[in-house]
Amino acid sequence: MSREGVGASILRKEDVRFLHGRGRYVGDIRPAGMLEVAFLRSPVAHARLIGVGKPEGAEGRVFTIADLEGVGAIRAASALPGFRASGQSVLASGKLRHVGEAIAACVAPSRAAAEDLAAACALDYEELPAIADMLSAREPGAALIHDHWPDNAFLETSREEDLSGLDGIAAAKVTRRLRTARQCMVPMEGRGVLAEWDPRLEQLVVTTSTQQPHVIRTGLSETLGLDEGSIRVVAPDVGGGFGYKAILLPEEIVCAHLAIRLGRPVRWIEDRLEHLTASANCREHHYVVTAWADREGRLLGVELDATVDSGAYSSYPFSACLESAQVGSIFPGPYTLPRFRYRTVSACTNKPPILPYRGVARTGVCYAMETTLDALARELGMTPAAIRLANLVPPEAMPYRNLVGKVFDSGDYPEALRRAVAHFDLERLAQRQAEGECVGFGLATFCEQGAHGTSVYHGWGIPFVPGYEQAMARFSPDGVLEIRTGLHSHGQGMETTLAQVAHEILGVPVARVRVVHGDTALTPYSTGTWGSRGAVMGGGAVAEACRLLGERALAIGAFLLQAEPGQVELSGGAVRRRDGGATVTLDEIARTWYRRPQNLPRDVDTSGLEVTGGYRPDPDTGTHSYACHAVIARIDQDTGEVVLEDYVVVEDGGKLLNPMIVDGQVLGGIAQGIGTALYEEMPFDAAGQPLAGTLADYLVPGATEVPGIRIDHMETPSPWTRFGQKGLGESGAIGPPAAIVNAINDALHRFGAEVFDLPASPERVLAALEEARRGR
């Protein structure tokens, strides 16, 4: 490893502009003549839309769906058997299906004036019964959200297994009914879009806060009726994504249409009220889990019934079933499970569409599996560590294919658990408990499948299937190396890590590597940044492009050194004779190609010093990073407040491209996971009204709620990737809810109390204690 290459903890290149306030976000861009948009949004969850009365003189400034001629509906498709497509009009048509659904676009020179227009509109509707709960959505006679559907379900999946006889042989059986809350992602920067029509190029330019510029271009093409060559999508700096910015927005389509129609730039910036009430949209799950184990704690079988609240629509390209369709396949986690039966439902409700959020499905699944394991351990009189060690896939079994077809590439899951436990003095903890302190210890072990490839997504029936990730690499005339990637970096530090990969292959100093991303006109096609794929897919593609570029540089360098190709090598940013003789730098080779072509060999590759390389792991079933989270939690029995005293995570992401950046990713994810565990909840009333409209109501953890976190890295390289790296961008957010609630339940167990639902708020902790007291 060089001081700047793969494995080095170098400072992030992009931080200079961010720390000095020089980042450029959608909200910073204001072209001449720009108009602002505010949306008239539905005040009710379910209604027949009769009409919109536009204020006097508002013609040409207030637009409903009837005014958007030629604009198609958003259709998220899937080849999964039984999937029902919802079809979402970009502005409401016929029906209102959730609070906050956009009904009309109001255009004015300022956002304030646009909001005044929206407030002046008269909305006429006939309210219908609202479906605000995912379980009641499935009850006979429930009002239909989509009238042509037979019931309120996007999709059902199942796996059959004979579990008869387990009651007779099991030493322990537990059943748990668990629920996770609906959440918002709360990025620092909300969504935003600026659309302009370029008359010279006859091209629509859409600048938008997105993780997937190329996918957004495809979606705009399909809904606007333009060919993709007529659309350019630019993603500038993005202030947080987390999956929230990995879909096509109705607002993007509306602004794009209006920009073409009005011949002026049109911008919409999401405010926090819109984010919270119109997009409260992830992680609302309900589980009924039954598990059987023998006397040694080995799992004999599991039965799972899971429901996911998917909201009213499936967002483009595919969102309604992204959580529920994965629940069954990822539930076994890192364990050897001999028998497994499941049923999952993607329920349709009068809420905003569910969207992917960091750790898609895994956070809830980990919570359900890990809390059930702790319940089994209590039944058997085992420690949480012992029951996990009895079931974790052993390292000698790697690569391991489990009963639902997941293939784990490498790792030592038991060692991660042992190392996590070793960080704590559990004897002292037991003494504190014996002295009457309400304090507990919790564990959560999980694996994260990342960098899924073509075979996985084609098999899932998902409409956007990633293929060979591509990267472009080229030298400028003075030897600066430019890398172009279709991925988008919005906090992952890719401008640094991909430069490190390029340095590893070519030896060009990181300071002389420029990474270009976020522009469909400049970068190769990519499905974007999602699913913890950036380091694996992007890193592999950049390495391949740089290898190809290095071969071309070698041929020119050998000629300039008057040597045969086999007599030279590429090292330290130069072509060197293997016999220790002369060298020629890559800068000099670039200057020769561009400025002194008379010095090139006659048989030179005329394609020059610009290449595109593609990469896909083989096999492409994904990497599996894994971690063990461990925490000590203390409870105030009078207030129900939970204080996290200590937190340790043992993480294995294979070869780490930049350990410092990995630490940042893990810490940020844990902070979000703590929010899931203890604070974040978007409640709805029986009429489908969201009840948290500000950050005073929707609580997110701050610095004082996040304890000091100790990170212990293991590095078990993946045998399938370019450097052995694994995707782990989501991992930090997966484990905290399960570990924290297990610590809470360990503290409450001696009182006969147990928490089942997330978040484990003071109210829920006190309610569990009170229920236990009444029970006694």
Side-chain angles (χ1 to χ4, degrees):
M1 182 186 75
S2 76
R3 291 182 300 163
E4 293 190 323
V6 169
S9 290
I10 66 171
L11 296 176
R12 299 198 327 171
K13 298 178 65 176
E14 48 267 70
D15 284 349
V16 173
R17 72 175 183 274
F18 294 141
L19 292 174
H20 289 85
R22 296 198 295 265
R24 192 166 188 257
Y25 303 88
V26 175
D28 296 318
I29 305 170
R30 183 180 290 275
M34 185 184 76
L35 299 171
E36 299 265 16
V37 174
F39 286 92
L40 172 66
R41 296 184 180 276
S42 174
V44 295
H46 199 194
R48 300 279 179 201
L49 177 59
I50 298 172
V52 177
K54 301 177 183 180
E56 188 175 344
E59 196 63 36
R61 295 192 293 155
V62 175
F63 300 86
T64 65
I65 190 62
D67 301 310
L68 304 189
E69 185 178 350
V71 177
I74 298 172
R75 297 195 177 277
S78 172
L80 290 171
F83 174 76
R84 297 188 183 117
S86 52
Q88 180 183 7
S89 178
V90 297
L91 294 174
S93 175
K95 245 192 176 191
L96 305 175
R97 293 186 173 90
H98 67 85
V99 172
E101 183 171 6
I103 300 171
C106 303
V107 183
S110 71
R111 175 63 178 257
E115 290 186 355
D116 288 344
L117 269 179
C121 290
L123 184 61
D124 189 8
Y125 58 88
E126 176 190 348
E127 197 161 359
L128 298 169
I131 304 297
D133 179 73
M134 56 185 155
L135 300 183
S136 61
R138 303 282 290 145
E139 292 177 356
L144 292 177
I145 296 167
H146 297 281
D147 296 339
H148 59 290
W149 289 11
D151 57 27
N152 293 312
F154 287 94
L155 181 72
E156 296 185 29
T157 68
S158 62
R159 182 181 191 272
E160 297 303 319
E161 180 90 42
D162 183 7
L163 302 180
S164 62
L166 290 183
D167 285 346
I169 62 173
K173 174 186 177 181
V174 299
T175 297
R176 289 294 181 270
R177 187 178 293 269
L178 307 161
R179 193 162 189 150
T180 67
R182 179 164 281 241
Q183 289 183 246
C184 301
M185 288 77 157
V186 200
M188 293 275 292
E189 178 206 27
R191 293 162 164 170
V193 57
L194 167 64
E196 307 172 74
W197 178 257
D198 184 335
R200 185 178 69 85
L201 297 178
E202 294 189 335
Q203 187 177 55
L204 174 68
V205 181
V206 177
T207 302
T208 183
S209 185
T210 183
Q211 302 170 221
Q212 300 178 302
H214 291 272
V215 171
I216 298 306
R217 183 173 70 162
T218 299
L220 289 171
S221 170
E222 293 176 3
T223 54
L224 294 173
L226 298 173
D227 62 73
E228 293 198 38
S230 299
I231 303 172
R232 177 186 180 188
V233 173
V234 178
D237 289 325
V238 171
F242 315 123
Y244 181 58
K245 298 175 181 177
I247 66 160
L248 174 68
L249 306 177
E251 293 88 349
E252 287 170 324
I253 301 166
V254 172
C255 288
H257 173 84
L258 293 178
I260 298 171
R261 178 172 181 157
L262 300 176
R264 293 174 66 178
V266 174
R267 188 178 72 172
W268 168 73
I269 302 293
E270 178 186 64
D271 64 27
R272 193 58 65 184
L273 177 64
E274 287 177 302
H275 173 74
L276 292 173
T277 60
S279 303
N281 50 35
C282 61
R283 287 189 178 167
E284 189 172 7
H285 296 197
H286 180 273
Y287 299 94
V288 180
V289 187
T290 300
W292 294 261
D294 65 17
R295 293 188 183 279
E296 287 71 40
R298 289 189 293 265
L299 288 168
L300 300 174
V302 170
E303 183 172 27
L304 170 69
D305 192 304
T307 303
V308 175
D309 190 324
S310 295
Y313 301 105
S314 185
S315 293
Y316 182 97
F318 179 78
S319 75
C321 306
L322 194 57
E323 297 256 326
S324 69
Q326 289 192 74
V327 164
S329 65
I330 63 179
F331 191 88
Y335 301 108
T336 54
L337 181 59
R339 296 197 217 175
F340 182 39
R341 181 167 68 205
Y342 69 77
R343 173 179 172 269
T344 74
V345 177
S346 301
C348 184
T349 64
N350 290 120
K351 295 177 183 175
I354 193 171
L355 304 179
Y357 181 30
R358 196 174 193 173
V360 175
R362 291 161 180 78
T363 303
V365 166
C366 176
Y367 176 68
M369 181 58 146
E370 294 296 297
T371 54
T372 301
L373 278 176
D374 266 32
L376 274 174
R378 289 192 289 271
E379 286 287 317
L380 292 165
M382 301 177 68
T383 67
I387 196 169
R388 286 168 174 79
L389 288 172
N391 290 284
L392 286 168
V393 174
E396 59 271 17
M398 298 293 181
Y400 177 80
R401 179 183 292 271
N402 71 4
L403 81 169
V404 290
K406 295 291 184 186
V407 182
F408 304 152
D409 45 347
S410 65
D412 191 337
Y413 301 165
E415 176 61 15
L417 173 66
R418 287 189 289 265
R419 285 170 65 159
V421 172
H423 280 278
F424 295 87
D425 184 350
L426 296 184
E427 289 186 3
R428 171 58 187 149
L429 181 70
Q431 183 180 352
R432 291 174 63 188
Q433 292 173 333
E435 293 169 353
E437 281 196 69
C438 193
V439 62
F441 175 69
L443 287 171
T445 300
F446 62 90
C447 53
E448 178 198 353
Q449 185 179 10
H452 315 56
T454 304
S455 61
V456 174
Y457 276 87
H458 172 69
W460 285 356
I462 289 179
F464 67 102
V465 178
Y468 283 90
E469 187 70 25
Q470 292 185 311
M472 297 171 62
R474 70 177 182 182
F475 283 117
S476 66
D478 59 354
V480 170
L481 177 61
E482 185 178 277
I483 301 295
R484 299 190 178 198
T485 175
L487 300 171
H488 190 276
S489 183
H490 42 276
Q492 302 92 333
M494 287 184 191
E495 292 176 31
T496 302
T497 52
L498 295 184
Q500 289 181 258
V501 169
H503 171 81
E504 184 76 17
I505 303 301
L506 293 173
V508 175
V510 166
R512 287 179 62 79
V513 181
R514 294 177 55 84
V515 175
V516 177
H517 60 98
D519 190 332
T520 59
L522 303 177
T523 61
Y525 179 86
S526 172
T527 55
T529 304
W530 51 272
S532 295
R533 67 190 302 270
V536 174
M537 307 301 289
V542 169
E544 177 62 14
C546 288
R547 183 191 69 79
L548 296 171
L549 186 60
E551 288 182 353
R552 296 189 184 180
L554 269 174
I556 296 172
F559 180 80
L560 296 178
L561 293 173
Q562 300 182 27
E564 295 297 322
Q567 296 175 322
V568 297
E569 62 183 358
L570 183 59
S571 175
V575 174
R576 307 174 185 274
R577 293 185 66 106
R578 293 182 184 275
D579 58 13
T583 67
V584 57
T585 67
L586 292 175
D587 294 0
E588 293 169 335
I589 291 171
R591 278 191 289 270
T592 299
W593 170 261
Y594 289 105
R595 297 178 180 174
R596 296 193 291 270
Q598 68 274 13
N599 295 334
L600 294 172
R602 296 182 65 85
D603 61 348
V604 70
D605 187 334
T606 56
S607 300
L609 297 179
E610 181 172 341
V611 301
T612 298
Y615 175 78
R616 188 172 71 192
D618 185 18
D620 68 347
T621 50
T623 62
H624 278 80
S625 61
Y626 59 96
C628 182
H629 289 227
V631 61
I632 291 178
R634 185 180 73 253
I635 300 171
D636 185 318
Q637 295 180 65
D638 294 323
T639 66
E641 180 185 10
V642 177
V643 176
L644 305 181
E645 291 189 345
D646 196 6
Y647 202 111
V648 168
V649 55
V650 179
E651 180 87 46
D652 191 339
K655 180 64 177 177
L656 305 182
L657 300 185
N658 184 316
M660 182 190 68
I661 287 179
V662 169
D663 283 351
Q665 289 284 290
V666 172
L667 291 170
I670 291 173
Q672 290 178 306
I674 289 171
T676 301
L678 298 176
Y679 304 106
E680 297 186 43
E681 180 174 18
M682 174 55 76
F684 287 76
D685 67 13
Q689 290 288 336
L691 301 179
T694 73
L695 292 179
D697 310 303
Y698 185 89
L699 302 182
V700 294
T704 57
E705 286 75 47
V706 179
I709 296 167
R710 294 180 281 163
I711 302 175
D712 184 359
H713 286 298
M714 296 170 58
E715 289 193 60
T716 310
S718 171
W720 302 334
T721 64
R722 179 61 176 81
F723 300 104
Q725 74 272 39
K726 301 178 182 181
L728 53 67
E730 301 164 88
S731 184
I734 296 171
I740 291 169
V741 171
N742 278 339
I744 291 169
N745 286 338
D746 183 45
L748 296 178
H749 174 59
R750 63 192 50 79
F751 304 102
E754 187 174 353
V755 171
F756 301 102
D757 295 347
L758 293 177
S761 61
E763 293 82 2
R764 288 194 172 102
V765 171
L766 290 176
L769 284 167
E770 179 59 28
E771 185 176 346
R773 292 188 189 104
R774 288 200 307 267
R776 285 202 297 270

